[in-house]
Amino acid sequence: MDNFVHIVEDHASKQMAVVDPAWEADEIQAFARDKDCQITDILLTHTHTDHINAMRPLIEQLMPHIHISPAEASYWQQPYGHLQLHQDGDTLMLGETAIQVIHTPGHTPGSSCYWLDNHAITGDTLFVFGCGRCDLRGGNPKQMYHSLHKLVATLPPETEIHPGHYYSVKPTSTMAEEVAGNPFLHCENEDEFVTYRMVTHDQVRSSPYDAVPKN
């Protein structure tokens, strides 16, 4: 499903956080061993199966901290007792590395992005020149509109965007490139966005996504 699994390493402590562990649990653990690091944390952008289906073996073998928003925990309804709930704007510490939480509902009720050192891991909220679906359970295009504009307002233009899927002509972009070329960020208002996301987009575009200059 063209998923990305992102891994954050704190060089000082040799701790690692896995963002959305999916598909390849053995490969994730082998990567950590090769780096002589310990996986201590799991950060969830959201809880759709294609982003978490490698999480159980990591939990059983490593017992990491699992970070998730309260709204996403309620949406997920899984009986993990060691979830660490984060609020919008919280700063999570991975060793000496500070990771800021940005809540971005729309794809799911509790979707979150993670921002560190001018890198943003955006899950299924913001793709390179695209954005996540809003027609699945818990999706809300009005919330997605405001979440995307929240990212525009929050993230510096030079921030490198790391999405949850490789749906575009390239794996990453910058926030400035997204503002210039992402058609979802060109909608003038909420109603225009809802129509484009829910109806028009799937009729006129297919992956791999490329930049669309603003009219």
Side-chain angles (χ1 to χ4, degrees):
M1 297 182 71
D2 298 321
N3 284 70
F4 284 119
V5 176
H6 296 100
I7 296 179
V8 180
E9 176 187 350
D10 177 66
H11 297 290
S13 66
K14 305 297 286 184
Q15 294 179 17
M16 275 188 170
V18 183
V19 186
D20 291 355
W23 305 108
E24 299 179 334
D26 291 343
E27 287 81 356
I28 292 169
Q29 293 193 66
F31 182 84
R33 287 194 299 269
D34 289 345
K35 292 280 192 176
D36 193 27
C37 290
Q38 180 182 5
I39 296 173
T40 58
D41 295 81
I42 291 174
L43 278 59
L44 300 181
T45 66
H46 65 295
T47 55
H48 285 160
T49 300
D50 60 313
H51 290 263
I52 63 168
N53 57 32
M55 190 170 75
R56 183 173 294 277
L58 298 182
I59 293 172
E60 292 174 348
Q61 297 173 41
L62 304 172
M63 292 300 292
H65 304 294
I66 304 169
H67 301 274
I68 189 172
S69 71
E72 194 67 12
S74 297
Y75 169 78
W76 190 24
Q77 295 184 334
Q78 291 296 315
Y80 291 110
H82 46 289
L83 298 179
Q84 297 198 359
L85 303 181
H86 53 61
Q87 304 299 324
D88 182 42
D90 280 357
T91 298
L92 312 178
M93 296 304 300
L94 178 72
E96 297 180 7
T97 300
I99 304 172
Q100 184 175 338
V101 178
I102 306 172
H103 284 183
T104 52
H107 183 63
T108 64
S111 288
S112 296
C113 299
Y114 299 99
W115 182 29
L116 65 154
D117 193 29
N118 262 349
H119 294 266
I121 302 171
T122 56
D124 284 8
T125 297
L126 177 63
F127 299 141
V128 176
F129 306 127
C131 82
R133 294 172 59 177
C134 300
D135 59 336
L136 303 175
R137 182 180 71 89
N140 187 313
K142 292 182 179 181
Q143 288 183 333
M144 179 67 86
Y145 171 80
H146 292 287
S147 290
L148 291 173
H149 283 272
K150 179 180 181 179
L151 291 178
V152 173
T154 301
L155 301 178
E158 66 273 16
T159 301
E160 188 166 351
I161 303 300
H162 302 273
H165 292 274
Y166 195 173
Y167 287 162
S168 185
V169 294
K170 58 181 184 176
T172 66
S173 64
T174 65
M175 197 69 238
E177 289 178 290
E178 291 304 305
V179 171
N182 190 324
F184 289 103
L185 299 180
H186 298 167
C187 296
E188 297 293 337
N189 54 59
E190 186 181 273
D191 289 342
E192 182 181 338
F193 178 88
V194 171
T195 300
Y196 183 69
R197 172 64 278 182
M198 303 304 286
V199 180
T200 309
H201 174 266
D202 292 342
Q203 298 174 349
V204 300
R205 292 187 91 205
S206 58
S207 60
Y209 297 144
D210 205 344
V212 177
K214 188 173 184 178
N215 291 333

